[in-house]
Structures are given as structure tokens and as C-alpha cells.
Amino acid sequence: MYILPNFLSGEQCARLIDKIETQHRPSTITGYNGDDVFRTSSTCDLSPRDPDAADLRARLSALSGIPESHAEPLQGQRYEVGQEFKAHTDYFEPDRPEFDQFCSVAGQRTWTYMMYLNAVDAGGATRFKVADKIVQPEAGKLICWNNLRPDGSPNAATLHHAMKVRKGAKYVLTQWFREKPWG
Ligand SMILES: O=C(O)CCC(=O)C(=O)O
Ligand SMILES: [Fe+2]
């Protein structure tokens, strides 16, 4: 895992928080596991034509060396007090029925690039249980990791939990990349 503080400017963070605030829907998960409170946050789908989304896609592509065409649409997440996303991985489980539906065109998710847009008053850290690492939200901080091992198999050590916000709100932006071009 890599961490890059101050990847986004304060102005860009504020502008993106505004966009998430004006447009968000309840978050979903790709494989229902019977837990209705597994992911309680809201999600904002940013248009690929949004100037900030386009700028970040280009910057993250340059940083990662992954072609822009492999980028999923940029997503914002918003957590209120008590909201969380329990321990999960970002790759799609190869043995689950939804695998073909989600991976048939663009393939598996490879790298996750996640940007924190604000510091949270209390709570809201991202805990990597297997890697035994806790990352604290900080405005503009980028964290990234590869969801796959060198041989292309899913890396279970990327398991992570967006812990409950205890005070204030939390906003993040996530850019996921795929093995093949998106759409
Ligand atoms: O909000 C976080 O700290 C993590 C979010 C996350 O893991 C996800 O959206 O896949
Ligand atoms: Fe995640």
C-alpha cells in the first residue's frame, strides 16, 4: 500500500465535497451477504465529463501507468455519524454468481486509488485487518493498493473496513482500475 499526503488541494477537496453533497444515493454492494447494515454510506457517481473527474483520471493514470481507458467512473462516498462499510475487499469474488456479470467486459478490479476529502472529527479511519494497518482520513490524502497478486489472483490481504464515523462527516473519492478497458 502507498500513501501520498496532499495529493488534492484544499480547494479541490471542498469543491468535490460540494458535488457529493448535492448528488448522492444509498450505497450498494455487489454481492448481498445477508447483512443489511454492511455498507450504510451514500454514493455519488461523478460523470466522466466532470472536469475534476477528468483531471483526476488523467493524474492517476499518469501516476499509476495504467491507461485512462481502464478507469471506472469516479465515485464519491459520504458517511454520516454511525455509518460504515464493514470489512470487505474491492475485487470481485471469482466463485460468486455475480462474477461474470461484473467482470465479463472490463475484467477484474486491479488497483484502488482512494482520496480522503476531509479530516473526520472522530472515527472514520480505514482499517486493513490482515495487513494490520489503520489509515486516518486527512484532507487530500491519497492511498492506493493493488487488489491482485503478481499472478493475477485476488489478494485477500487487502481486506479493509471503513470504520464508523463517530463525529462529523466523512467524504472520500475512489478511482478503481480494471484489467481491461471499461465499457
Ligand atoms: O471509506 C473508506 O475508508 C473506504 C471505502 C471503501 O473501502 C470502498 O468504497 O470500497
Ligand atoms: Fe473498499
Side-chain angles (χ1 to χ4, degrees), residues 8-21:
L8 301 177
S9 69
E11 254 172 46
Q12 202 166 25
C13 289
R15 197 163 57 237
L16 286 155
I17 288 174
D18 277 348
K19 284 179 193 175
I20 296 172
E21 269 304 323

Side-chain angles (χ1 to χ4, degrees), residues 39 77 79 85 88 90 114 116 126 160 162 170 172 176:
R39 188 184 194 189
Q77 316 293 343
Y79 302 79
F85 188 0
H88 67 279
D90 289 353
M114 191 181 93
Y116 299 96
T126 313
H160 54 284
K170 172 186 173 188
V172 303
W176 286 287

Side-chain angles (χ1 to χ4, degrees), residues 91-100 108 154:
Y91 56 75
F92 301 99
E93 296 285 353
D95 54 354
R96 291 190 66 117
E98 66 273 7
F99 182 79
D100 285 346
Q108 182 62 279

Side-chain angles (χ1 to χ4, degrees), residues 150-183:
D151 69 358
S153 63
N155 186 354
T158 58
L159 186 76
H160 54 284
H161 175 183
M163 295 196 292
K164 275 186 187 169
V165 169
R166 301 283 173 194
K167 190 171 176 217
K170 172 186 173 188
Y171 301 88
V172 303
L173 270 186
T174 310
Q175 177 70 72
W176 286 287
F177 286 100
R178 295 299 191 100
E179 291 173 311
K180 294 182 273 186
W182 176 263

Side-chain angles (χ1 to χ4, degrees), residues 55-154:
D55 171 63
L56 287 173
R57 188 168 62 240
R59 285 183 69 197
L60 293 172
S61 168
L63 182 69
S64 63
I66 306 170
E68 274 191 53
S69 58
H70 293 218
E72 290 186 25
L74 188 67
Q75 269 195 9
Q77 316 293 343
R78 169 184 183 272
Y79 302 79
E80 295 174 11
V81 170
Q83 295 184 336
E84 67 179 325
F85 188 0
K86 292 182 186 173
H88 67 279
T89 53
D90 289 353
Y91 56 75
F92 301 99
E93 296 285 353
D95 54 354
R96 291 190 66 117
E98 66 273 7
F99 182 79
D100 285 346
Q101 182 196 339
F102 286 105
C103 299
S104 59
V105 176
Q108 182 62 279
R109 274 189 179 150
T110 57
W111 282 78
T112 298
Y113 283 79
M114 191 181 93
M115 294 146 276
Y116 299 96
L117 299 179
N118 69 320
V120 181
D121 293 338
T126 313
R127 177 170 178 224
F128 294 80
K129 280 190 176 165
V130 181
D132 193 22
K133 221 176 166 36
I134 293 182
V135 182
Q136 295 295 339
E138 235 174 79
K141 178 156 99 179
L142 167 73
I143 71 171
C144 60
W145 64 88
N146 189 351
N147 294 292
L148 306 182
R149 298 176 202 274
D151 69 358
S153 63

